[in-house]
Amino acid sequence: MTEPNPSLLCRHCGLCCNGILFSWLDVSKQEQSALSTIAFETYPTEKGQSRFDLPCQGQQMGTCTLYDLRPQKCNDYHCTLHKRHIRGLVPLDEALQIVDQTKDLVYALLLDAGKTIRKELQSINVNIHLFKLIDD
């Protein structure tokens, strides 16, 4: 059995960063300041904190490009698979396979949802090209 590698597992997964599980993340003023040095966009909340929307701007091709600079809340979050991997209950190769299968299911659901939305729009005679005209 291989040694646990939670860093690799997190970088490979990214489901907590891509907007599937969470829609935004609050960051401290210090974190916001550090993120602004790399042109990471945040916005103020009603409580005077800063926030950014997910998917995270640091996620590229499904992996975190800011792993060493990630906010504390990102560092503190551990999904069930991550916890089980750290305790040695799920080997890395199996954990990576579970992540890949989960991503495949998520993307299939999103694709199917997109088809469903398109059919519903067509059923009420909404021409999708109209949205392009509105955006221009």
Side-chain angles (χ1 to χ4, degrees):
M1 185 163 113
T2 59
E3 285 293 314
N5 190 337
S7 173
L8 177 62
L9 180 58
C10 284
R11 289 184 217 233
H12 183 74
C13 179
L15 290 172
C16 61
C17 309
N18 69 3
I20 296 296
L21 299 177
F22 307 104
S23 58
W24 48 263
L25 182 77
D26 287 336
V27 293
S28 70
K29 289 190 185 290
Q30 287 178 316
E31 290 169 331
Q32 186 274 333
S33 180
L35 291 170
S36 69
T37 64
I38 55 171
F40 199 94
E41 295 181 30
T42 61
Y43 59 91
T45 67
E46 296 142 7
K47 297 179 182 177
Q49 294 179 307
S50 291
R51 171 178 290 175
F52 64 86
D53 290 327
L54 299 173
C56 178
Q57 302 154 55
Q59 192 179 50
Q60 302 291 323
M61 301 298 291
T63 193
C64 182
T65 61
L66 305 170
Y67 194 76
D68 295 328
L69 300 172
R70 68 193 185 282
Q72 188 62 45
K73 286 183 181 178
C74 297
N75 190 49
D76 292 344
Y77 179 75
H78 302 287
C79 69
T80 301
L81 180 60
H82 184 269
K83 290 174 188 174
R84 291 177 52 86
H85 173 62
I86 289 173
R87 289 190 303 230
L89 300 173
V90 180
L92 181 60
D93 57 341
E94 185 180 332
L96 294 173
Q97 185 177 15
I98 290 169
V99 167
D100 288 340
Q101 291 170 344
T102 302
K103 284 182 175 182
D104 288 347
L105 289 170
V106 167
Y107 297 136
L109 286 170
L110 291 174
L111 183 62
D112 193 46
K115 289 177 185 175
T116 301
I117 290 169
R118 185 174 294 122
K119 284 180 185 175
E120 290 201 20
L121 290 174
Q122 289 171 345
S123 74
I124 58 171
N125 295 322
V126 173
N127 188 334
I128 295 174
H129 297 287
L130 289 175
F131 294 114
K132 173 110 175 85
L133 293 173
I134 293 170
D135 290 338
D136 289 344

